[in-house]
Every structure is written in C-alpha cells, then in structure tokens.
C-alpha cells in the first residue's frame, strides 16, 4: 500500500515556542492531505484539510492562526503549532488519500512544557 | 450531517473466539465508502477492511468480515479466530467524496478490543 511518513514522532517544546510537523506521501502525489488531533482514548478529530497550492480549509473551532498549514508541494504538508501552550499537547496525525483510501502517518506526540 | 456511532466503548474476547464490533451511521448520501481501521498501541492507523456502498456483497479479508446493511445503515465487523495481536482500538469510518473532488472521513468514537489469552 501507499506510504505516508510523518516527522517527528515525538517532540517536546517549551511553552511559547513553535513546532513544525511534516507529513510526506512517499510514493504518490497528494493534492489533499488531512490533519487530525487525537486526545487520549478518543477518536480522531479532523482539524483541517490541506490543499496543495492553496489555503487550507479549517474545521469549525480550529484556530487557523495557531495551527498553520502549508502544502507547498504534491508530497509535503506541514503543520506548525505556533506559540504552543500545554493545552496543545496531544497526538497529531496526518493522512493522504489515494484512490478513495486514506493512508495515515505514524503520528506525532507533542508535549508542551 | 453524517455521524458514525460505535456503541461499544470496550470489548474483550478469548483467543481463538469470534467477536463482532458494531457500527451505525447516518447519512443521506448514496455514494460513500465505509472502513474499519485498527489502531494498536503504536497508534499507527491500519486499514482492516473497506466496503463500497454500491456493493451488496459483504467485504471479507481473511479473518475479518463485515455485515453491511445499507437500509439499516449498519456496518459491523466480525473478527474470527481472534489473536492476541488483534488487541487494539478499532474505528469505524465513513467516507464520502466532496464537491471539490476530495474525500472527507468521519470517524466513530472507537471500540477498545482486548483479546485474552
């Protein structure tokens, strides 16, 4: 199957700093990628849809200025958590769709201290 | 709006036994896809099985099969000959194509399955 690589898998940052998470489709081009947030023992919550060459589409309640998304190429989308706070600590997962099937990255565990 | 409901937060099954996980969904769409994903402790999302809504035949993948009841909007997953490695969180997901040419996924709340030795 297709491969989606997400990096880093774990990151710890200080409150007030910014963190960038990368999502790459390794063997296919993805004009659209998705970013999810998952709280412990809960489901995946769609945060935004990343569109190559255009602005991301954010779900209701997601702060676009805090969660900056850039999709500069057909194989790379980045999520930057700006001015991170402890409440931003969570598990973030990206996915890309190929032929109506979603492939997921390994996820990033963000801890803000 | 579409919703996906998994009414069983936790389940357990003895090794080698069979277990069924429930999923219901609500939609007015006619063209959509349904999936079961497995999320083991590593938290990597792994596709278990998929079903196209236009197909009447239930999908099967080795020990995994579904009971797709379109009229009832039900999509249950049956795991036969359960193995310890099946221990994971299982998510039911609904996917539909959007007007912009992409796809949108909606996930259920998940069922935590534990296979007992």
């Amino acid at each position: 199957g297709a491969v989606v690589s997400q990096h880093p898998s774990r990151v710890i940052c200080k409150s007030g700093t910014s963190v960038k998470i990368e999502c790459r489709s390794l063997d296919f081009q993805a004009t659209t990628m998705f970013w999810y947030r998952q709280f412990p023992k809960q489901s995946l919550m769609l945060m935004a849809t990343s569109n190559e060459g255009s602005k991301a589409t954010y779900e209701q309640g997601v702060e676009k200025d805090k969660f900056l998304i850039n999709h500069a190429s057909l194989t790379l989308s980045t999520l930057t958590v700006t001015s991170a706070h402890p409440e931003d600590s969570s598990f973030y997962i990206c996915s890309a769709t190929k032929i109506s099937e979603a492939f997921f990255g390994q996820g990033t565990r963000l801890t803000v201290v | 709006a579409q919703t996906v409901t998994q009414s069983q937060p936790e389940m357990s099954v003895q090794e080698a036994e069979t277990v069924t996980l429930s999923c219901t969904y609500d939609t007015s769409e006619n063209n959509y896809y349904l999936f079961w994903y497995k999320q083991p402790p590593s938290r990597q999302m792994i596709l278990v099985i998929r079903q196209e809504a236009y197909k009447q035949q239930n999908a099967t993948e080795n020990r995994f099969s579904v009971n797709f009841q379109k009229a009832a909007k039900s999509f249950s997953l049956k795991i036969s000959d359960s193995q310890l490695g099946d221990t994971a969180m299982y998510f039911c997901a609904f996917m539909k194509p959007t007007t912009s040419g992409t796809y949108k996924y909606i996930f259920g709340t998940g069922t935590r399955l534990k296979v007992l030795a």
Side-chain angles (χ1 to χ4, degrees):
Chain A
V3 177
V4 173
S5 177
Q6 188 173 340
H7 178 81
S9 58
R10 291 176 179 266
V11 59
I12 300 173
C13 71
K14 290 185 177 181
S15 187
T17 62
S18 296
V19 173
K20 181 185 285 188
I21 303 169
E22 292 187 347
C23 181
R24 293 181 185 273
S25 55
L26 297 185
D27 53 356
F28 67 102
Q29 294 181 332
T31 55
T32 303
M33 292 185 178
F34 302 90
W35 288 96
Y36 297 88
R37 184 171 180 175
Q38 186 179 30
F39 291 102
K41 298 186 178 181
Q42 293 190 27
S43 188
L44 280 69
M45 180 190 77
L46 179 65
M47 297 175 64
T49 302
S50 171
N51 304 299
E52 188 269 335
S54 64
K55 291 182 179 180
T57 305
Y58 290 82
E59 296 299 301
Q60 191 172 7
V62 178
E63 298 177 61
K64 58 182 68 177
D65 293 332
K66 166 166 273 299
F67 299 101
L68 298 179
I69 291 173
N70 183 274
H71 195 150
S73 77
L74 288 171
T75 59
L76 174 65
S77 174
T78 60
L79 169 67
T80 301
V81 183
T82 63
S83 186
H85 288 97
E87 56 265 31
D88 299 324
S89 297
S90 192
F91 191 71
Y92 294 87
I93 306 176
C94 71
S95 78
T97 304
K98 179 182 179 183
I99 314 177
S100 71
E101 181 178 328
F103 296 89
F104 292 85
Q106 305 93 320
T108 297
R109 182 180 300 280
L110 170 63
T111 303
V112 184
V113 298
Chain B
Q2 289 81 15
T3 59
V4 178
T5 302
Q6 292 179 249
S7 59
Q8 305 150 313
E10 293 187 1
M11 294 189 74
S12 62
V13 62
Q14 286 294 137
E15 196 175 8
E17 298 290 303
T18 296
V19 64
T20 299
L21 279 57
S22 302
C23 174
T24 58
Y25 59 96
D26 186 25
T27 185
S28 58
E29 303 281 339
N30 195 47
N31 179 28
Y32 55 88
Y33 300 80
L34 295 164
F35 301 83
W36 278 97
Y37 281 92
K38 168 184 176 181
Q39 189 180 41
S42 68
R43 304 192 77 169
Q44 171 74 57
M45 294 286 283
I46 301 167
L47 177 65
V48 175
I49 200 165
R50 63 179 280 166
Q51 174 83 44
E52 290 86 349
Y54 63 85
K55 289 187 177 179
Q56 291 186 332
Q57 187 172 6
N58 289 323
T60 299
E61 284 289 338
N62 301 314
R63 300 183 293 109
F64 300 89
S65 62
V66 298
N67 183 0
F68 174 46
Q69 302 290 328
K70 190 172 183 179
K73 296 179 183 175
S74 171
F75 183 60
S76 61
L77 173 69
K78 186 172 82 171
I79 305 174
S80 304
D81 185 25
S82 297
Q83 301 176 0
L84 296 177
D86 295 333
T87 293
M89 191 75 156
Y90 286 82
F91 292 101
C92 178
F94 169 97
M95 187 194 78
K96 66 162 188 171
T98 68
T99 53
S100 58
T102 62
Y103 296 90
K104 185 164 187 174
Y105 273 75
I106 299 166
F107 289 88
T109 50
T111 296
R112 186 172 299 279
L113 176 68
K114 187 169 185 179
V115 179
L116 307 171

